[in-house]
Amino acid sequence: MKKTVIAALLAMMLPLASGAQGSLRYNYTKNGYVYTGAERVRVSGSTPLWVKLSRVIFSDGSPIYLLRIDVEDSTPWKMPKNAPMTITTAAGRSVVLKNSASEPNMVAPDGVQGEKGKVYYNYGEYYLEESDLKKIVAGVTNVDITKRWSSEGYIKIAYKDNEFGSAVADAYEAIKSASRPDVDVSGVLRSLQDKNGSRLAETNVLEVDSNVSIALVYFYYAATNTEGYDLNLFLGGVTVPYGGYIKVETGDGEIIEMLQEKDLAAGRAICYPKNEDLPKLLRSVRRITLQTTGEDLVMEFPSNKFSKVLNKEYNSLQTISIL
């Protein structure tokens, strides 16, 4: 993978401010539960932090929400389990949540080099009921986060423009607007490797039709705190030469052009979807045109079957994704 290109693209695409339209990151079922999560977003303030909201619906239909907070700091620290975070709402009410996490942090554990030195992302995870979530969504003026058990071991952040509450509200809207998924990811993940804080995972090869099967590979780069994906195509005896084009036409008629990124034997192609193009591939793929050693090969995908398989693989990777 072209790591520097992918890292730059992902950095450019990261949501940077509260109030931005929330977007869904995943929505799938596994073992009878429904998992839905919004994209992680950065909230500016005297202490910048990142917010990620997700929901699990149990087999009896009852939901529980998980709010993850990653606090930016120049030093790493471990948030104690059961340490409270107090959220003061615009109505003057307090919502007190307790950190449920005790596992080592996987988000850039050695920090990321910034303009002013290393930046660390120190996290807490907080379960909450929908009733408390609605209080937060209505507006937040202050957040007090306990980072250690001491009189000075807390962070107090005031929000003049409801930056925190707006970020949570956008994520909540994205989650509650999601339809019940028909994507079951059980048994799709093939392998997972961690090395020096980075992560590599890949799915099993799944058949789209008799002519093409696909697999998706996920990368997390700890040094830059970015992610990327490789799309692997299995094409029978078809040869796509190194540098040959792979043109995807979406259901909206948009053409997304990728390249054969490796010199591979017949029947294999690997391409790198751009960060902004991957959601389009997940929504709808009408046809794919391949540059081969002979004439161009055009593959049609009625009933959106290519995207349905790709969705299954993408969502399976979200079960182990870092961000």
Side-chain angles (χ1 to χ4, degrees):
M1 165 159 305
K2 300 175 182 176
K3 296 183 181 180
T4 55
V5 174
I6 294 295
L9 285 166
L10 288 169
M12 290 169 59
M13 293 300 295
L14 283 173
L16 295 179
S18 62
Q21 181 63 40
S23 57
L24 211 61
R25 180 175 172 92
Y26 60 81
N27 191 27
Y28 61 85
T29 64
K30 185 177 182 181
N31 299 326
Y33 297 159
V34 179
Y35 298 84
T36 309
E39 289 284 359
R40 182 175 179 260
V41 295
R42 188 176 189 265
V43 181
S44 58
S46 55
T47 300
L49 52 79
W50 294 77
V51 168
K52 183 177 181 180
L53 184 69
S54 57
R55 181 189 67 188
V56 179
I57 298 179
F58 298 102
S59 54
D60 63 0
S62 60
I64 190 71
Y65 289 83
L66 179 64
L67 180 63
R68 175 171 174 133
I69 305 293
D70 290 88
V71 181
E72 292 186 13
D73 205 334
S74 59
T75 59
W77 38 267
K78 183 72 174 65
M79 196 175 296
K81 189 170 183 178
N82 295 320
M85 175 172 66
T86 302
I87 300 172
T88 304
T89 70
R93 305 173 72 178
S94 294
V95 177
V96 181
L97 308 173
K98 292 187 177 181
N99 174 39
S100 64
S102 58
E103 296 82 6
N105 189 15
M106 292 291 289
V107 175
D110 295 324
V112 175
Q113 189 65 42
E115 293 181 359
K116 299 181 180 180
K118 280 287 186 75
V119 176
Y120 296 88
Y121 303 92
N122 304 297
Y123 87 110
E125 292 181 336
Y126 308 88
Y127 287 99
L128 68 164
E129 302 290 340
E130 194 161 20
S131 56
D132 283 334
L133 182 55
K134 288 180 177 179
K135 296 174 188 175
I136 297 170
V137 165
V140 171
T141 58
N142 294 279
V143 173
D144 294 88
I145 301 172
T146 302
K147 68 175 187 178
R148 66 175 63 91
W149 298 119
S150 70
S151 59
E152 297 181 351
Y154 66 92
I155 299 168
K156 185 177 183 68
I157 311 171
Y159 294 104
K160 294 182 179 180
D161 297 316
N162 190 34
E163 295 90 344
F164 185 92
S166 293
V168 176
D170 287 342
Y172 177 58
E173 180 62 29
I175 289 172
K176 73 174 185 176
S177 298
S179 58
R180 185 178 180 87
D182 57 2
V183 178
D184 189 328
V185 302
S186 302
V188 178
L189 195 65
R190 179 185 179 185
S191 64
L192 172 64
Q193 301 175 50
D194 290 324
K195 185 176 182 181
N196 299 328
S198 294
R199 174 163 286 188
L200 167 65
E202 60 182 317
T203 69
N204 285 312
V205 178
L206 300 183
E207 182 179 284
V208 176
D209 59 23
S210 59
N211 297 313
V212 59
S213 298
I214 59 176
L216 197 61
V217 181
Y218 167 83
F219 299 87
Y220 171 74
Y221 305 109
T224 55
N225 197 33
T226 54
E227 300 174 309
Y229 296 87
D230 284 2
L231 176 58
N232 289 253
L233 303 173
F234 297 83
L235 305 163
V238 176
T239 299
V240 180
Y242 176 67
Y245 54 73
I246 299 168
K247 295 181 180 179
V248 180
E249 182 180 343
T250 71
D252 298 327
E254 181 177 355
I255 302 297
I256 298 171
E257 185 167 338
M258 297 176 284
L259 300 176
Q260 163 71 290
E261 298 287 354
K262 295 185 178 181
D263 187 7
L264 299 175
R268 287 287 309 278
I270 295 179
C271 51
Y272 305 155
K274 294 180 180 179
N275 187 57
E276 64 267 29
D277 289 336
L278 186 57
K280 302 171 188 176
L281 302 181
L282 294 172
R283 282 195 299 270
S284 176
V285 170
R286 180 179 297 169
R287 65 176 60 90
I288 296 178
T289 301
L290 302 172
Q291 180 182 356
T292 74
T293 51
E295 297 181 347
D296 283 1
L297 174 65
V298 179
M299 299 183 296
E300 302 279 351
F301 299 103
S303 304
N304 207 27
K305 55 186 177 182
F306 186 96
S307 290
K308 288 179 180 178
V309 175
L310 187 62
N311 253 294
K312 184 184 286 285
E313 294 181 337
Y314 168 82
N315 276 281
S316 74
L317 291 171
Q318 300 317 303
T319 66
I320 53 79
S321 66
I322 301 297
L323 299 181

